Amino acid sequence: MAKCERRVLMLCGDYMEDYEAMVPLQALEAYGIAVDAASPGRKAGDVCRTAIHGSCGHQTFYEITGHNFTLNATFDEVEFSKYDGLVLPGGRAPEHLAMNPSVIDLVTKFSDSKRPIASVCHAPLILAAAGLAKGLKCTGYRTVGPVLVAAGAHWVESKKACITDGHHITAVTFESHPEFIRGFVQALGGNITGSDNKRILFLCGDYMETYEIKVPLQSLEALGCHVDAVCPNKKAGDICPTAVHEFEGDQTYSEKKGYNFTLTANFEGLELSSYDALVIPGGRAPACLRLDKTVIAMAKHFMEANKPVASIGLGQQILAAAGVLKGRKWTAYPAVKLDVVLGGATWLEPDPIHRCFTDGNLVTVAAWPGHPELVAQLMELLGIQVTF
């Protein structure tokens, strides 16, 4: 990854929204920005549980338990002066963080110094509690609106809105992440180059790992890339269910049901030559996708054209089945090592698990903790930079 020239703080809490914590964190790290994630009363290495929020046609969202989010900073040791900006994820955590005097004091210091504050979903509740909402043009999840209006804010309600007012960036939900993250990077003084007209294709399937689709996809969209997400036998607007894979001390990862991911393009009729790179998320989807002849032809096209191919975790099963790895060096989730060896490739040990490798046009990583390195290395192949 690029040398870190900015450092930001992310304020976390139990049942913060899963995507709204991990996507900004790993995207910012991929761009070379150091992120310290801290929670009141907890230290580095402790865990915050996350919540997956989705819609199924009811009056409000449903909630299921998401990943275990590991903090990398101790709240009591946080020194405001070390940070260039602040990120406030949404979910249910802000309801409790807004009542914590230490949180309010810290957020007020960021605001008084005019350092960028990025708040998504329910997080603007913290701004209201800190007395920072008066006169602020902002947005958030719709049920937060009455509180912000009572606090004197100029509330903007929209399904995917992202609002920048001075040093405050606010967004409705994680669907607003691309604009939200891009706005925060620009507020930090970042300049994005090389992404114009870049088109990236994501190969999706049922029960792909939920982080392994959303984090790289929104990280690239935030840079200004055009991204299409497709799945065999499905069209734009169709759904792929995702899986939450977590490392919880067992011999292998645990699996729970995750988000429903909406595809953005039709699989039939794709013009592969119009895309600059291919990304293959992991999870259980690749084991089935590799049986599809069109998928195999797609993998061969990108590899033979020497276009960047980024593959995560179990996604490498598709590349192995396509027979495109002979003589290459790559890694994968350890359970896929046999596919690598039988495919004639050289196995690279993913130690630590976030380690990512580039061999020519091929970028591989073992699991979602390696997203920052994967996105950064893919950016390098595509000629995309974030500079300060």
Side-chain angles (χ1 to χ4, degrees):
M1 289 181 286
K3 180 182 178 182
C4 293
E5 299 185 37
R6 294 290 187 275
R7 179 174 293 275
V8 302
L9 179 66
M10 177 179 285
L11 281 183
C12 304
D14 286 335
Y15 298 106
M16 59 187 173
E17 215 290 327
D18 196 26
Y19 276 161
E20 291 169 7
M22 188 59 77
V23 177
L25 182 142
Q26 291 195 317
L28 294 171
E29 288 181 334
Y31 308 155
I33 300 168
V35 182
D36 286 348
S39 180
R42 293 184 178 165
K43 59 185 184 301
D46 287 349
V47 165
C48 284
R49 301 299 297 273
T50 69
I52 288 173
H53 290 166
S55 175
C56 55
H58 298 151
Q59 291 175 330
T60 187
F61 55 84
Y62 65 81
E63 177 177 299
I64 55 179
T65 302
H67 293 82
N68 294 324
F69 183 96
T70 302
L71 304 168
N72 64 355
T74 300
F75 185 83
D76 288 344
E77 297 175 357
V78 166
E79 294 183 21
F80 153 76
S81 61
K82 292 183 177 180
Y83 299 102
D84 301 290
L86 176 67
V87 179
L88 302 175
R92 285 193 292 114
E95 297 171 0
H96 298 275
L97 294 177
M99 296 185 291
N100 187 304
S102 296
V103 168
I104 298 305
D105 178 66
L106 190 57
V107 173
T108 300
K109 288 179 179 177
F110 275 93
S111 185
D112 288 347
S113 66
K114 307 298 182 185
R115 301 185 193 195
I117 300 176
S119 314
V120 61
C121 189
H122 287 70
L125 287 172
I126 300 174
L127 304 181
L132 304 175
K134 188 173 183 179
L136 180 68
K137 184 179 180 181
C138 64
T139 191
Y141 189 68
R142 60 187 179 86
T143 58
V144 177
V147 179
L148 271 294
V149 171
H154 297 296
W155 178 255
V156 177
E157 185 170 337
S158 176
K159 289 184 177 180
K160 290 188 177 182
C162 181
I163 303 293
T164 297
D165 184 4
H167 60 281
H168 283 280
I169 303 100
T170 55
V172 177
T173 70
F174 56 78
E175 296 297 355
S176 310
H177 273 156
E179 186 180 354
F180 178 72
I181 295 169
R182 181 167 58 252
F184 186 59
V185 169
Q186 291 171 341
L188 291 170
N191 183 42
I192 301 167
T193 57
S195 60
D196 291 348
N197 302 315
K198 291 292 192 305
R199 291 171 54 84
I200 317 297
L201 185 64
F202 275 71
L203 179 56
C204 303
D206 291 343
Y207 295 104
M208 56 189 169
E209 211 290 326
T210 191
Y211 278 167
E212 293 176 9
I213 176 62
K214 203 69 166 185
V215 173
L217 185 146
Q218 291 194 317
S219 296
L220 291 166
E221 286 184 325
L223 294 169
C225 297
H226 174 89
V227 176
D228 283 334
V230 300
C231 177
N233 303 313
K234 296 190 181 186
K235 61 185 184 300
D238 286 349
I239 296 295
C240 282
T242 68
V244 172
H245 285 172
E246 186 59 274
F247 307 98
E248 299 182 287
D250 301 314
Q251 290 176 329
T252 187
Y253 53 82
S254 62
E255 179 175 296
K256 309 176 188 73
K257 189 180 186 307
Y259 296 85
N260 288 326
F261 177 85
T262 303
L263 300 167
T264 62
N266 299 335
F267 188 82
E268 296 297 328
L270 280 174
E271 293 186 14
L272 298 182
S273 61
S274 70
Y275 294 98
D276 299 287
L278 174 68
V279 179
I280 307 174
R284 284 194 291 113
C288 296
L289 292 175
R290 64 180 171 179
L291 305 178
D292 187 300
K293 293 181 180 179
T294 306
V295 167
I296 295 302
M298 180 185 295
K300 287 182 176 179
H301 167 84
F302 280 92
M303 291 297 290
E304 291 170 359
N306 202 38
K307 294 182 178 181
V309 174
S311 190
I312 308 164
L314 298 169
Q316 287 82 309
Q317 291 174 315
I318 293 172
L319 299 175
V324 296
L325 297 175
K326 188 174 183 179
R328 305 301 292 267
K329 297 177 181 178
W330 62 307
T331 194
Y333 187 71
V336 184
K337 182 175 181 178
L338 184 59
D339 296 68
V340 176
V341 175
L342 293 178
T346 298
W347 173 257
L348 300 175
E349 194 67 36
D351 185 20
I353 196 69
H354 63 74
R355 192 173 183 192
C356 182
F357 298 94
T358 296
D359 180 15
N361 68 314
L362 179 64
V363 184
T364 55
V365 71
W368 57 256
H371 280 150
E373 292 187 20
L374 177 114
V375 173
Q377 292 181 32
L378 180 59
M379 287 169 59
E380 186 172 354
L381 290 180
L382 290 167
I384 301 172
Q385 290 185 317
V386 178
T387 55
F388 294 91

